[in-house]
Amino acid sequence: QVQLVESGGGLVQAGGSLRVSCAASGRTSSQYVMGWFRQAPGKEREFVALISRSGAGTAYADSVKGRFTISRDNAKNTVYLQMNSLKPEDTAVYYCAAGPPGVGQRMEGYDYWGQGTQVTVSS
């Protein structure tokens, strides 16, 4: 079992930056691929970014590529999502998730989810 707790969300102006964090407890998070997903009001949850167990491999949704950076500190069991050049369309609840190697971008493949943290970008 892995428990995930997101933090760091908030209100930011368009063009600003924010870093959200995901702290894992229970089983060591380094055993899992970690992903970030988001869900805007009235929309389906969508993939944002993922990072491999070692941190050497990452993948991003086209909509955030070049603006967001995912990283992890396995010693701290924490995953981060640095969000720069934020846009109003980035407004959503951001969720972190843990999944097995090879899980990719499919939500269904992730075994553990956090409760989410709200990110609001004002225009």
Side-chain angles (χ1 to χ4, degrees):
Q1 284 280 0
V2 176
Q3 293 78 43
L4 303 173
V5 178
E6 301 93 338
S7 62
L11 175 64
V12 63
Q13 287 189 332
S17 298
L18 202 62
R19 189 179 77 162
V20 291
S21 303
C22 173
S25 60
R27 296 184 68 180
T28 306
S29 64
S30 60
Q31 300 179 46
Y32 299 93
V33 170
M34 299 298 294
W36 283 98
F37 293 79
R38 66 186 182 186
Q39 187 166 18
K43 295 188 176 181
E44 294 186 351
R45 194 171 297 188
E46 64 177 3
F47 167 78
V48 176
L50 67 82
I51 188 165
S52 66
R53 290 179 295 172
S54 68
T58 58
Y60 297 91
D62 288 343
S63 58
V64 306
K65 204 171 292 183
R67 299 188 298 121
F68 289 12
T69 301
I70 188 171
S71 61
R72 69 190 299 165
D73 184 339
N74 285 339
K76 296 182 178 180
N77 274 341
T78 302
V79 178
Y80 306 97
L81 185 67
Q82 176 67 45
M83 302 181 288
N84 299 328
S85 301
L86 282 161
K87 305 175 181 179
E89 51 263 45
D90 294 318
T91 295
V93 177
Y94 283 71
Y95 298 90
C96 72
V103 63
Q105 302 179 16
R106 298 178 303 108
M107 280 192 302
E108 296 77 11
Y110 286 79
D111 299 314
Y112 304 102
W113 291 83
Q115 296 291 339
T117 185
Q118 176 70 47
V119 172
T120 302
V121 184
S122 63
S123 56

